[in-house]
Amino acid sequence: MARRSSLKRHGHVHVSGQIARRPDGTPVAPGDLAGQVAQALRNTAIGLAGADATFADVLRLTFYVTQWAPEKIGDFMAGVEAAAEEIGLLAPLPPASLIGVDYLFEPDVLVEVEATALLA
């Protein structure tokens, strides 16, 4: 079994394509924006951890949300808040962009997350 060094590496970490899926590929929270945002952020945390990074290392987040409309901000933020403490995404949040898109690669995917981190 390989052991991961306890020393952080230096460099950039890019995590992209994080959606609301379990490891076996099954969808989480179909039709529920808040639930999908929370799960996509949890999956982003797993991706960061694979590079010995955390949300404390994140420089920016990008969210792609299908059929975006301003009235969805409550559900979106509810998803962020539901996962924030659990994954270490504490206030103030890193700079973030929310980009509305017509659709993502599968019809049940409502949100996709990208994170850019810097390990010092």
Side-chain angles (χ1 to χ4, degrees):
M1 181 170 163
R3 299 187 104 193
R4 184 171 295 178
S5 168
S6 62
L7 299 175
K8 281 194 168 189
R9 295 172 292 201
H10 297 275
H12 288 107
V13 175
H14 299 271
V15 178
S16 64
Q18 299 305 300
I19 60 172
R21 292 276 199 273
R22 293 179 183 87
D24 67 2
T26 58
V28 174
D32 174 15
L33 180 60
Q36 286 202 17
V37 168
Q39 185 62 43
L41 284 169
R42 289 181 188 106
N43 291 344
T44 302
I46 292 167
L48 289 166
D52 291 329
T54 69
F55 277 100
D57 302 305
V58 171
L59 299 173
R60 73 185 292 258
L61 292 168
T62 304
F63 296 88
Y64 299 93
V65 181
T66 61
Q67 304 299 314
W68 178 254
E71 57 270 12
K72 292 184 177 185
I73 194 67
D75 289 339
F76 177 84
M77 290 308 298
V80 172
E81 292 166 5
E85 187 175 336
E86 169 190 343
I87 62 174
L89 182 58
L90 305 177
L93 297 176
S97 296
L98 191 157
I99 301 169
V101 296
D102 289 336
Y103 55 89
L104 292 163
F105 68 99
E106 290 184 6
D108 65 322
V109 176
L110 303 179
V111 65
E112 182 175 322
V113 180
E114 294 180 349
T116 302
L118 180 64
L119 300 179

